Amino acid sequence: MKKSKIALTSTLLAGALAVTGCAQIPTEQGGDPRDPWEPVNRWTFGLNQGFDKVIFRPLAKGYEFIAPEPVRIGIRGIFRNTMEPANAVNSSLQGKVEQGILSLFRLVINSTVGVGGFFDVAAKVDIPRKETDFGETLRVWGIPNGPYIIIPILGPSTLRDGLGMIPEVALDPNTYIGEAWFTWPWWGVKFVTIRAQLLPVTDLLQHTVDPYIATRNAYLQNRQSVIQEEEGITILTPQDLLLNPLDYEDEAEDAELIKKEKKE
């Protein structure tokens, strides 16, 4: 498995949905300097939990039940393929022009031979995927991380990464299709796909003493791990799924990581 950025976000969008369980406000709340807006964030986190319990998690469980694993992997591949333009632009803006060109090659190969990305043919011809986002681009440009925030529906982020989601949406090809009958179902299926992939992580967080703090720590740690990965330091944890669930294809391996974490 590999790890990379946050989805709708992306991706995604992804870590955004780790909102299961009941958040209880501890007496020491507000003690983390990375989270100066904790009272408001907790309120939003609770709101997201409510939506997740009633709507998003049941949809994700239903999708997981009716769609075989190979189909789910293929659908995730299609969504990942549509993120290649953003990968190309952000890599170039970060000074990694060669990686940006490779992302465009991946887009062309997987959009044609790979049937829209359902099959990752580019990886089979040794063109690996390198996902990045505008939040990382802003970091390269020297923009500070800013406070931790919870975005309604989308979930955990930071001020910098949250602002970075705006150009990410602008770089998604689906934004320009223009036909509501296609656009809205597309976003809906992408949303449910990411939520389904996050089920092992959210189930794990549900059993923590304080899901809010567990989610916050996992998100901030994983964003830091992206920087470390770029510097050649790889630290893989079960919560890496929270960062970008679309990047994980081996669900059996994911399950083993989660199982191992529970035992520990």
Side-chain angles (χ1 to χ4, degrees):
M1 296 192 315
K2 60 180 180 178
K3 62 183 172 59
S4 49
K5 77 157 193 171
I6 186 173
L8 243 239
T9 344
S10 268
T11 227
L12 121 179
L13 187 51
L17 304 174
V19 290
T20 345
C22 299
Q24 299 176 355
I25 302 179
T27 56
E28 65 273 16
Q29 73 156 324
D32 194 321
R34 302 171 300 177
D35 189 8
W37 301 334
E38 183 173 340
V40 175
N41 283 336
R42 281 187 177 273
W43 184 88
T44 308
F45 182 77
L47 181 68
N48 287 352
Q49 284 182 306
F51 280 118
D52 188 70
K53 182 178 181 180
V54 175
I55 302 175
F56 305 138
R57 191 173 190 278
L59 284 175
K61 294 292 287 185
Y63 170 71
E64 190 179 55
F65 178 76
I66 65 175
E69 181 179 333
V71 173
R72 296 197 301 272
I73 291 174
I75 291 175
R76 289 201 302 274
I78 292 174
F79 291 133
R80 287 199 306 271
N81 191 50
T82 62
M83 295 163 66
E84 292 295 359
N87 293 336
V89 170
N90 282 302
S91 291
S92 299
L93 291 175
Q94 294 168 24
K96 305 171 185 176
V97 179
E98 181 179 349
Q99 182 58 55
I101 294 174
L102 290 177
S103 292
L104 292 179
F105 282 161
R106 284 185 52 84
L107 176 66
V108 173
I109 293 172
N110 285 343
S111 296
T112 53
V113 184
V115 194
F118 193 91
F119 303 102
D120 192 352
V121 179
K124 297 184 183 302
V125 295
D126 202 26
I127 304 180
R129 184 169 191 267
K130 172 59 180 177
E131 190 170 350
T132 185
D133 59 47
F134 198 70
E136 291 180 50
T137 298
L138 292 176
R139 180 189 67 80
V140 172
W141 291 355
I143 306 300
N145 205 31
Y148 176 76
I149 59 174
I150 296 288
I151 302 174
I153 305 300
L154 297 184
S157 185
T158 63
L159 189 58
R160 181 183 67 197
D161 293 339
L163 292 174
M165 290 181 185
I166 299 174
E168 291 296 308
V169 174
L171 290 169
D172 192 306
N174 186 53
T175 303
Y176 305 100
I177 292 178
E179 297 293 338
W181 64 267
F182 181 86
T183 299
W184 290 109
W186 172 278
W187 288 118
V189 174
K190 187 172 186 177
F191 193 94
V192 172
T193 297
I194 291 174
R195 181 63 185 92
Q197 189 68 356
L198 283 169
L199 283 170
V201 175
T202 53
D203 288 347
L204 176 65
L205 292 174
Q206 188 177 21
H207 293 90
T208 61
V209 175
D210 189 339
Y212 173 83
I213 290 180
T215 301
R216 180 184 67 194
N217 290 346
Y219 176 82
L220 294 175
Q221 173 187 334
N222 290 339
R223 278 309 265 178
Q224 179 62 30
S225 74
V226 170
I227 299 173
Q228 294 174 322
E229 184 180 28
E230 292 177 353
E231 296 174 348
I233 304 171
T234 301
I235 301 176
L236 183 63
T237 68
Q239 288 83 1
D240 283 329
L241 271 169
L242 182 65
L243 190 64
N244 187 13
L246 288 178
D247 238 13
Y248 288 80
E249 297 186 8
D250 192 337
E251 297 190 359
E253 190 175 350
D254 297 339
E256 285 301 316
L257 274 174
I258 300 302
K259 184 177 180 181
K260 180 180 178 181
E261 176 72 5
K262 285 184 176 181
K263 289 181 178 180
E264 294 176 351

